Structure formats: structure tokens, C-alpha cells
Amino acid sequence: MEDLILEFQEKTTMVSLKFQRYLIDKMDLNNRLIAVKGARGSGKTTLLLQIAKRKLPLKSTLYVSLDHIYFFENKLYDLAKLFVKFGGTHLLLDEVHKYPNWSREIKLIYDNFPALSIVFTSSSMLEIYKAESDLSRRAVSYTLKELSFREFIELDTNKKFPIFSLEEILGNHNEIASKMLEEMKPLPLFAKYLQMGAYPYFKESENDYPQKLRNTINLIIEIDINAVEDLNYETLVKLKKLLITVATSAPFTPNITKLSEKVGVSRNTLIQAIKILDRAGLVNELYKDTSGIGVLTKPEKLFLNNTNLMYALAKENINIGNVRETFFLNQFKDLHEINLSDQADFLVNKKYTFEIGGKNKTRKQIIDIPDSYIAKDMIEIGYGTIIPVWLFGFMY
């Protein structure tokens, strides 16, 4: 355990607090068991180390990744037992899906050591609430989304802007945008964000970012998904083929019969594959009404999870309308209820109707719909019910 403690101390010394993700101030660390889900590359490891450095007593805190060689010969439960004996109060566990029977041992640790608090991270792929030992009654779950446009600007330019609620944006977007324009030009930053702003590692090398992102996609499919679903190689290849099909379509309304023939799987297998990719943080399923969704319900529209994935996979076959809608959906996901609209593009919180478009988009399509708005691209500032689409990147 001493080696683990020394490695943790070195990591906390190295980690910077200059840039911190939105979630660090949303998490209630008074909960004894916290799960942080998030796609590979979204910054979960850095988040844990920053929590340790900024919010927890370092002398009684330990961070460890469960793919560490220590666990080749040692049990997680035994580590927790020893750690508590030496006065440990907070155990931060990274990459839990790399450890066999992780949920069972975490449950035992939680039940047997009431003085110990646990925060653990997992791939989005893992269904924590269906874990074999029923952690759902014990764990409070948070999702770490990809970088918002606001966070990207801070990381790229060191300019910090506040978070605005949806209601603040709808009611005061002109004033909010006016103040921002005094400090930045949003349109070139937005264009860059759409291509390479979703994951923090864009800072390492912008030139290598597309290749790194494609490598990340491969790791999600071949390692993260396979670790949970135990799929054969042929099926994994078909998942990649499905992703590319979605990326090059604009927008993608799946014909399940034709798509299953193209990908080479049965209808039910295809629908299950789509749901796997959704849980893995690679695609977003969208429906007009979520009340009747079942295990084998096909999505009415299918998007990639974020615009960076589109540019990495579709390359020159990019449809700008699909890019705008993908951005809008991504920024709202996990923050607000968002569905397809009968008359426009999206319905948010079953109240607000949004049509997404370019600078020439008019209100003709939604003119008679109450609480309806145009989220317009290629404008710096809006007026009335016309709002710059980039401004919806400041909600987290």
C-alpha cells in the first residue's frame, strides 16, 4: 500500500487546478458512495485527482486505478480494510470496469466500513444501476459530459465565462452575448470547437487530435464495450461500420431493415448495438416521446454523440445541418429532457420548441408555436426569439 500512497502523492503534486471541469462543484461529497460515469477521454482521472487535491484531506485520501499491477495479486477489499486501519477516510477508485467483481467488492466495502467514503469512475458503457450487487440503492451517480463550448474556450484561451441556465439564455441572450463579444470573437472559436473541442486532450496536440480521437473510438469499442458485452471480433467490426454510416448521413433516420442488411446483423441485434453505442458515449438516440421506449424500440433519429466524432469519422462527408443539430443535442443531453419535435427539430422539457439553422433560417416553420425559438448559426448576436446557436454551449 505504501507504493500506492507514494504514487498518489506524486500524481496530486503534478495535477493542475488551473482548469477544472464543471462537475467538480456539482458533486456532493457528503455522499458515501459516488459513481462518476463518462466516456473515455472526458477527464474522469483528472477530476478525481483534482477532487483529492482541492476538496479532501490528503493525509486520509487514496487514489488508485483498478488496472494497477497491485491488483494482480491483491484484492480491492483487502486494500480498503488496510487503508481504514491506517486512518483512511476517502478512497478514489478509477477505471473500476478493469477489475473483476468490482461491484460486489465495492458493496462490501461500503457496508463494512461506514467511516470510509468512496468515489469511483467507470466508462459510460457500464450500467451501474444494473450491477450484480445492486449498487443503485447505495450510489449517487453523476455523468461527466464532454467539454462544453464554454469549457473549451477557457481551456483554449484562458478566458473564463459563467454558466447560464437555459431560462437565462432564452430571456437575456442579447445582453449575455453583447458582454461576451467585448472579450472574444465566438464564431472562429465555435468552428474550432466543432472539430476538436469535445475532449480535453486536444491541448496536447491539435495536429494529432483527429488520429487520437479515432484511436479513442477504437479503444471504446474494442476494450470498454467488449469488457462488458463480450462480443466477438466480427461484431466489433460491424459496430464501427454502423458508426461510420451514422456519421456520413444527414440527419440519420434509421431504416432498421435496410441498415441491418448493410451492417450485416439481424434487426434485434442492430437495435441492441445502437443502444450499446449510446451507453458507450458514441451515439445519441432520439425519440418524439420517451414514455413508451422499450428494449427493442428503434430510435426515430440517430446522431453521433458530438461533432468531433463526425469530423473524425466522416471526414469530407460532413453535412453542416447535421453538425449544428448534433452540437445542440449534445449540449442539452443529461441537463434537460430533449425530444424530437413534430413541427420543428427539438422539443426541450416538453415546453420549448427549437428549429436549428444557418443565418438565413426564418421563423416561418414555427411562427404559430408558443415558446418557440430559432437557434441560428453564423451570427454573433441574436434578437427576439432568434438566438446564436453557440450560446447554448454555456449551460455547463
Side-chain angles (χ1 to χ4, degrees):
M1 190 176 74
E2 289 183 6
D3 289 340
L4 295 179
I5 292 172
L6 290 173
E7 289 179 21
F8 164 57
Q9 290 174 345
E10 184 177 351
K11 283 183 168 69
T12 52
T13 301
M14 296 293 290
V15 73
S16 171
L17 295 178
K18 184 178 180 181
F19 173 76
Q20 299 175 47
R21 296 298 312 278
Y22 73 98
L23 193 59
I24 196 168
D25 290 317
K26 287 184 173 290
M27 294 171 61
D28 183 359
L29 296 176
N30 291 316
N31 293 301
R32 279 193 51 226
L33 184 60
I34 296 173
V36 179
K37 297 183 291 181
R40 183 187 284 265
S42 56
K44 300 184 297 297
T45 298
T46 300
L47 176 71
L48 284 185
L49 292 171
Q50 288 178 333
I51 288 171
K53 188 168 186 175
R54 181 184 145 193
K55 294 199 163 190
L56 299 177
L58 282 176
K59 290 184 178 180
S60 58
T61 297
L62 177 63
Y63 161 92
V64 63
S65 178
L66 294 193
D67 60 357
H68 195 285
I69 58 172
Y70 175 87
F71 295 107
F72 290 177
E73 297 181 351
N74 297 278
K75 293 285 188 182
L76 173 60
Y77 182 87
D78 294 333
L79 171 65
K81 184 177 181 180
L82 183 60
F83 183 54
V84 168
K85 282 185 178 180
F86 281 87
T89 58
H90 293 85
L91 191 57
L92 310 180
L93 305 175
D94 207 2
E95 304 280 2
V96 296
H97 56 289
K98 302 286 183 67
Y99 184 89
N101 301 317
W102 61 273
S103 61
R104 184 181 305 161
E105 291 198 39
I106 288 176
K107 173 188 176 292
L108 289 172
I109 293 167
Y110 177 89
D111 290 343
N112 293 340
F113 307 115
L116 185 64
S117 295
I118 304 162
V119 182
F120 67 92
T121 73
S122 76
S123 156
S124 296
M125 185 60 234
L126 291 170
E127 295 188 55
I128 291 168
Y129 289 108
K130 292 183 181 179
E132 58 180 356
S133 300
D134 193 21
L135 290 178
S136 62
R137 293 185 294 106
R138 298 167 174 81
V140 175
S141 181
Y142 295 93
T143 299
L144 182 64
K145 290 165 60 67
E146 299 82 21
L147 292 175
S148 67
F149 182 41
R150 181 192 71 85
E151 290 179 305
F152 164 77
I153 291 172
E154 181 180 342
L155 194 54
D156 193 47
T157 69
N158 294 319
K159 292 183 182 295
K160 294 187 178 183
F161 294 97
I163 293 173
F164 297 98
S165 69
L166 174 60
E167 286 70 24
E168 286 174 323
I169 292 173
L170 297 181
N172 303 300
H173 63 87
N174 190 281
E175 179 183 348
I176 292 169
S178 294
K179 290 182 179 178
M180 289 186 183
L181 291 175
E182 295 174 3
E183 298 188 49
M184 68 159 183
K185 289 288 186 181
L187 297 186
L189 286 168
F190 187 56
K192 182 178 178 181
Y193 170 80
L194 293 176
Q195 294 192 46
M196 60 172 59
Y199 301 95
Y201 57 81
F202 82 89
K203 287 291 288 182
E204 296 170 8
S205 171
E206 293 182 7
N207 290 334
D208 295 333
Y209 180 80
Q211 182 59 53
K212 286 187 176 181
L213 182 51
R214 285 189 286 270
N215 291 343
T216 298
I217 294 168
N218 282 329
L219 289 172
I220 291 171
I221 292 175
E222 295 173 5
I223 306 281
D224 296 343
I225 289 179
N226 201 34
V228 178
E229 295 292 333
D230 191 25
L231 305 175
N232 61 41
Y233 178 77
E234 184 181 357
T235 303
L236 296 176
V237 171
K238 290 174 180 177
L239 286 180
K240 295 178 187 178
K241 189 175 181 179
L242 174 59
L243 268 182
I244 294 173
T245 300
V246 176
T248 54
S249 304
F252 191 70
T253 304
N255 181 317
I256 295 299
T257 300
K258 289 184 178 179
L259 187 57
S260 62
E261 291 175 359
K262 183 175 181 179
V263 177
V265 295
S266 69
R267 181 188 187 280
N268 288 353
T269 300
L270 178 65
I271 293 175
Q272 290 171 345
I274 290 171
K275 296 187 183 305
I276 288 170
L277 291 174
D278 185 295
R279 294 200 306 271
L282 291 175
V283 304
N284 282 329
E285 301 174 273
L286 206 59
Y287 303 82
K288 287 181 181 177
D289 181 7
T290 56
S291 59
I293 294 176
V295 174
L296 294 178
T297 304
K298 78 176 184 70
E300 292 168 270
K301 259 191 182 180
L302 200 57
F303 298 82
L304 288 189
N305 186 51
N306 61 70
T307 60
N308 288 193
L309 297 173
M310 296 177 67
Y311 282 95
L313 293 172
K315 299 178 183 177
E316 69 277 1
N317 297 316
I318 295 291
N319 178 281
I320 189 60
N322 198 12
V323 169
R324 294 168 184 146
E325 292 182 23
T326 298
F327 164 77
F328 188 88
L329 173 58
N330 173 265
Q331 299 296 291
F332 276 82
K333 186 183 179 184
D334 297 319
L335 297 180
H336 297 275
E337 182 181 355
I338 184 165
N339 299 105
L340 289 173
S341 168
D342 287 322
Q343 297 114 316
D345 288 321
F346 299 107
L347 180 65
V348 175
N349 297 339
K350 297 184 178 178
K351 178 179 181 181
Y352 303 112
T353 298
F354 288 94
E355 182 71 10
I356 319 300
K359 62 181 180 181
N360 296 321
K361 189 74 176 182
T362 69
R363 281 189 52 82
K364 182 179 179 181
Q365 190 171 340
I366 57 172
I367 194 165
D368 295 323
I369 302 175
D371 295 313
S372 61
Y373 300 85
I374 300 286
K376 189 175 282 193
D377 195 11
M378 300 306 292
I379 62 171
E380 289 188 335
I381 193 166
Y383 54 91
T385 56
I386 296 176
I387 304 172
V389 69
W390 59 263
L391 198 53
F392 292 100
F394 286 77
M395 295 190 297
Y396 68 92

